[in-house]
């Protein structure tokens, strides 16, 4: 850090110390857990402590929901592409960074969602931010109506777009109607929401929102990042499961969760994709994904279109874990999705539970604290997968039972 002899200059190092110390005092300071996934052995991994010693652990908080990151179909496709093309793409999509692999992936994604086109980004965060911040350029005067619990990437895109915004209470269709009715009917409107909200695992009211969009002439923008690969007969998400994809104008998805690779995208009409790619700085000025990553994503999307057994297995594992934790009187949030949040309600206890699970039981689950969730709702968030077997499940449940008692945390009254 640059130093200065001038007494009236702010001590920047001191300010950094104070900022970090606040996080420690609030129990919100986050540390990286250095893990090495073991191909073919996931959810098992190796944790390297700060002192360099190693410990075998089981990962219970990953977003590789279906284990596709170690699926031979995906790995073989990536090996083939890297042998054929090398490492990076070599440029942005406009300047030498569009390859046959990128085009194949966009075609595959458009087909997945029943849309004319798809547009690939380096992450779903960038896809949300770039698209939502660009829409008012395409539709001057546009008002974006955003669910209060939308992803940070959606909030950032709405904030940066320079247009008008309205925030409706989470999943509150009546409040959304009030906001829509209060605005000029002639102005362009976009309703932005999610299919699954990952911190509680609850579902968005897709059909009701589509009905309002039809009534008030609004475009619909849905984030399906925690649902693609996971729901619907071909894994296109909750909207596919509910037969509503045709009513959604823009669908955002990720390739980094259920598909086990990296990248994000939107699927929409050909004209919408053309306009976004032509106006969004986040797309125009970003180097494209490496061809090998795109190839792996193509293989994963294709595979999961016909792999309902993986989705069924994952849902079964999630339901078993919920039932077993509920049976211990632990406060699980259960909205019927594949996500298993366990409410702790205190950042210090949440961090303590996470640390003890890792060090004493070899179980890795990251604490979720403010600002990701509201204060007082701190939690552990488990993501079971088809590769979490009975032994891993037993170990987790026994550890949680013991640690919950050790920390003297409250339990619900047990039935019977």
């Amino acid at each position: 850090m640059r130093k200065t002899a001038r007494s009236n200059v702010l001590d920047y190092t001191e300010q950094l110390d104070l900022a970090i110390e606040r996080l420690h005092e609030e129990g919100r300071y986050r540390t990286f857990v250095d893990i090495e996934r073991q191909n073919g052995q996931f959810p098992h991994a190796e944790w390297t402590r700060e002192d360099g010693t190693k410990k075998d652990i089981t990962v219970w908080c990953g977003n590789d929901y279906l284990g596709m990151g170690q699926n031979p179909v995906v790995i073989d496709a990536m090996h083939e592409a890297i042998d054929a093309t090398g490492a990076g793409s070599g440029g942005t999509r406009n300047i030498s960074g569009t390859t046959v692999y990128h085009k194949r992936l966009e075609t595959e994604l458009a087909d997945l969602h029943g849309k004319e086109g798809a547009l690939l980004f380096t992450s779903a965060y960038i896809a949300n931010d770039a698209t939502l911040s660009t829409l008012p350029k395409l539709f001057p005067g546009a008002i974006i109506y955003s669910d209060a619990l939308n992803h940070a990437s959606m909030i950032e895109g709405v904030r940066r777009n320079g247009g008008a915004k309205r925030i409706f209470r989470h999943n509150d269709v009546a409040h959304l109607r009030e906001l829509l009715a209060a605005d000029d009917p002639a102005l362009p409107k976009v309703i932005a929401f999610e299919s699954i909200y990952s911190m509680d695992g609850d579902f968005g009211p897709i059909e009701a929102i589509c009905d309002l969009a039809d009534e008030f002439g609004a475009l619909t923008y849905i984030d399906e990042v925690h649902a693609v690969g996971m729901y619907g007969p071909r894994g296109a998400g909750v909207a596919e499961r509910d037969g509503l994809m045709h009513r959604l104008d823009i669908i955002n998805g990720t390739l980094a969760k259920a598909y086990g690779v990296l990248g994000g995208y939107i699927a929409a009409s050909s004209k919408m994709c053309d306009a976004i790619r032509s106006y969004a700085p986040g797309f125009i000025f970003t180097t494209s994904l490496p061809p090998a990553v795109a190839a792996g994503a193509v293989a994963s999307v294709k595979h999961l279109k016909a792999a309902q057994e993986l989705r069924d297995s994952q849902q079964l594992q999630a339901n078993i874990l919920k039932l077993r934790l509920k049976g211990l009187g632990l406060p699980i949030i259960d909205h019927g999705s594949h996500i298993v949040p366990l409410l702790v309600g205190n950042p210090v206890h949440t961090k303590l539970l996470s640390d003890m699970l890792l060090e004493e039981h070899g179980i890795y689950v990251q604490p979720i604290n403010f600002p990701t969730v509201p204060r007082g709702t701190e939690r552990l968030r488990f993501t079971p997968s088809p590769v979490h077997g009975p032994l891993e499940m037993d170990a987790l449940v026994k550890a949680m039972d013991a640690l919950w008692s050790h920390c003297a945390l409250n339990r619900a009254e047990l039935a019977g």
Side-chain angles (χ1 to χ4, degrees), residues 360-377:
E360 298 176 13
H361 298 274
I363 292 171
Y364 173 40
V365 56
Q366 190 73 9
I368 307 294
N369 294 325
F370 178 85
T372 306
V373 295
R375 298 180 194 274
T377 68

Side-chain angles (χ1 to χ4, degrees), residues 4 11 17 42 76 94 97 109 157 180 196 219 264 292 294 347 353 369 377:
T4 177
D11 187 332
D17 289 339
F42 192 74
D76 289 348
N94 288 322
L109 292 168
L180 287 162
I196 297 179
L219 294 174
L353 283 169
N369 294 325
T377 68

